[in-house]
Amino acid sequence: MTSLLDSNSYPTNQFKQLYFKRWGVETFYDELKNKLKIEHFSGYSNQSIQQDFKAALFVSNVQTLIVSELEDELKKVNQGKKYDYKINANISYGLLKNRVITLFLDEQSEDIDMVEELKALFKSHLIPIRPDRKFERNSGKYRSRIKPKITKNQKDAV
């Protein structure tokens, strides 16, 4: 939405270009809200909310670092295939979530071994990138559905 109503000064195609520049930001919000469940806090205090938020960002950053290290390997995997494949972000968050404390705080584990294990697990959960998919939207489809009740301090499993 915009308050710029003069279509001669501000043609709609400019807004379309701006929208696509924001797409990466919007998909990251989706990841934070739907995959990392950043809106479901483990407590009510300001400190616990900030801690949960920062922990989610930390997990997201670690996952991004590991996935970025796998880019060259994924290019090799994608050669000669019908679709390009990428790492399933939701599953990779779940795999990382249970290992992130051990990765950084366990003195007896080898960090390199743990990262290599995570890379292997991430690579075993690939999903295809299907370009130009289009689905017709049915805006009233979920209108009658009742939302599940989730208490403020309940977190869904990833």
Side-chain angles (χ1 to χ4, degrees):
M1 279 188 105
T2 181
S3 59
L4 303 173
L5 303 175
D6 184 8
S7 61
N8 294 327
S9 298
Y10 308 103
T12 55
N13 64 349
Q14 287 181 342
F15 294 108
K16 187 176 182 180
Q17 293 169 357
L18 283 174
Y19 175 78
F20 285 110
K21 288 184 178 186
R22 271 198 58 79
W23 186 249
V25 175
E26 295 296 332
T27 54
F28 185 65
Y29 283 143
D30 174 61
E31 226 171 85
L32 288 174
K33 289 174 72 175
N34 297 317
K35 292 182 177 102
L36 289 170
K37 304 291 185 190
I38 205 157
E39 294 176 323
H40 302 287
F41 306 111
S42 61
Y44 295 106
S45 70
N46 185 30
Q47 183 179 6
S48 66
I49 291 170
Q50 284 187 17
Q51 182 177 338
D52 286 352
F53 180 78
K54 290 174 183 175
L57 286 179
F58 179 74
V59 169
S60 174
N61 288 338
V62 171
Q63 186 263 4
T64 301
L65 286 171
I66 294 172
V67 168
S68 66
E69 287 185 12
L70 292 171
E71 284 180 5
D72 291 336
E73 292 179 44
L74 286 177
K75 286 179 185 175
K76 290 177 187 174
V77 167
N78 290 330
Q79 288 179 348
K81 293 196 174 184
K82 181 179 178 180
Y83 296 115
D84 285 342
Y85 284 79
K86 66 178 183 177
I87 291 169
N88 187 326
N90 198 30
I91 291 176
S92 65
Y93 282 131
L95 293 167
L96 182 60
K97 180 179 87 167
N98 296 325
R99 293 170 175 84
V100 74
I101 303 266
T102 308
L103 179 63
F104 288 97
L105 296 179
D106 190 3
E107 295 175 8
Q108 296 175 356
S109 74
E110 284 291 320
D111 293 343
I112 296 169
D113 292 340
M114 178 75 73
V115 172
E116 292 304 318
E117 176 190 350
L118 283 166
K119 285 181 181 181
L121 287 168
F122 285 13
K123 284 191 295 187
S124 67
H125 297 285
L126 300 178
I127 53 174
I129 301 170
R130 295 184 179 105
D132 301 325
R133 291 194 332 169
K134 293 186 172 115
F135 296 100
E136 209 172 299
R137 287 185 138 185
N138 183 355
S139 61
K141 181 178 179 180
Y142 298 107
R143 221 165 264 212
S144 63
R145 185 178 75 179
I146 298 171
K147 288 186 177 181
K149 296 197 183 232
I150 298 175
T151 59
K152 188 175 179 183
N153 63 348
Q154 178 182 354
K155 240 184 178 178
D156 290 347
V158 176

